[in-house]
Amino acid sequence: MNLLTAIRTFFTAGQGVFRGMKDASEDSNPIELFKDWFETAEKSGIILPEAMSLATSTPDGHPSLRTVLLKSFDEDGFVFYTNYESRKARELIENPQASILIHWAVLHRQVRIEGPVERVSDAESDTYFASRSRGSQIGAWASMQSKMLGSREILENRVKEADKKFAGQAVPRPEHWGGFRIRPERIEFWQGKADRLHDRFIYSRETGAWRGSRYYP
Ligand SMILES: Cc1cc2nc3c(=O)[nH]c(=O)nc-3n(C[C@H](O)[C@H](O)[C@H](O)COP(=O)(O)O)c2cc1C
């Protein structure tokens, strides 16, 4: 690596390039590893470290992507919230398989997660919905996500109507709004390193237990 490349790598890649994946091995628990990486991303000052790309596909194999926010994760899976009548939700209901991707550019880190998807329980969606701001709650009633909208004014009028409807009371969760959980079967960690000789570990769940392997970059 020449000096210029080294300086550029230092400033753009931050700590990640130099840290490598010392903490990863064939026996690591990928959920624990994800937690460690997520906490590092939160501390790094990245805006929206929880933003992730969500890929879905129609049953006949047409893929689509969009950004959603990761709201919780544990051994059971990775949860995001959305409108159950949106395009992504319709695709997930017809073909309950998803892939999510998070790229923390400043850390030179990428995580890919794949697996089957299910709706979270109504109780879990209720709890999360209740924690949102009133404005977001009203927005969930007003927006017919992914449907064509004639004008901004129509949306603003729908917000006013919902606001009036629930004036002076707690906003209940609309039935068309809630969470999905991706139950991971494959999790890949990618750590950028100098000279494109990156570290990659792929973990897959076999008969309940995680097994990891190192891969060529
Ligand atoms: C940073 C960011 C975060 C977002 N988070 C969410 C989210 O958590 N849930 C959601 O439904 N849409 C979220 N969106 C909007 C989606 O990307 C998308 O536009 C919307 O969900 C409609 O997608 P669909 O038509 O494929 O269903 C977010 C967009 C951005 C840019």
Side-chain angles (χ1 to χ4, degrees), residues 10 39 56 65 92 146 153 157 175:
F10 181 77
E39 284 169 4
T56 57
L65 267 178
L92 286 173
S146 309
E153 201 188 351
N157 285 337
E175 259 181 46

Side-chain angles (χ1 to χ4, degrees), residues 48 51 64-71 80-83 86-89 145-146:
L48 292 177
S64 64
L65 267 178
R66 78 287 291 151
T67 311
V68 292
L69 298 180
L70 176 64
K71 287 296 167 184
F80 68 92
Y81 289 86
T82 195
N83 182 312
S86 63
R87 176 181 176 184
K88 73 181 91 48
Q145 193 177 60
S146 309

Side-chain angles (χ1 to χ4, degrees), residues 20-154:
M21 287 191 68
K22 290 188 197 77
D23 32 359
S25 77
E26 278 75 4
D27 301 320
S28 301
N29 177 312
I31 307 298
E32 288 300 316
L33 193 55
F34 183 85
K35 187 164 178 272
D36 182 56
W37 279 30
F38 191 77
E39 284 169 4
T40 302
E42 282 182 311
K43 282 184 215 140
S44 72
I46 294 171
I47 297 167
L48 292 177
E50 72 275 34
M52 59 189 192
S53 302
L54 166 78
T56 57
S57 166
T58 58
D60 60 349
H62 287 87
S64 64
L65 267 178
R66 78 287 291 151
T67 311
V68 292
L69 298 180
L70 176 64
K71 287 296 167 184
S72 65
F73 65 89
D74 57 22
E75 272 294 336
D76 289 336
F78 294 76
V79 175
F80 68 92
Y81 289 86
T82 195
N83 182 312
Y84 285 140
E85 288 161 15
S86 63
R87 176 181 176 184
K88 73 181 91 48
R90 278 185 279 114
E91 291 187 359
L92 286 173
I93 290 160
E94 288 187 8
N95 177 20
Q97 294 285 335
S99 174
I100 51 185
L101 177 136
I102 304 191
H103 175 210
W104 293 303
V106 77
L107 299 172
H108 254 222
R109 285 179 168 178
Q110 170 181 261
V111 182
R112 297 163 69 184
I113 299 167
E114 292 160 37
V117 177
E118 61 192 30
R119 271 173 66 144
V120 308
S121 70
D122 285 350
E124 195 173 339
S125 288
D126 285 343
T127 303
Y128 175 65
F129 189 78
S131 77
R132 304 183 93 209
S133 68
R134 188 177 172 89
S136 299
Q137 292 174 336
I138 293 290
W141 279 97
S143 175
M144 294 194 275
Q145 193 177 60
S146 309
K147 294 209 167 60
M148 205 183 279
L149 171 62
S151 71
R152 173 104 203 153
E153 201 188 351
I154 297 171

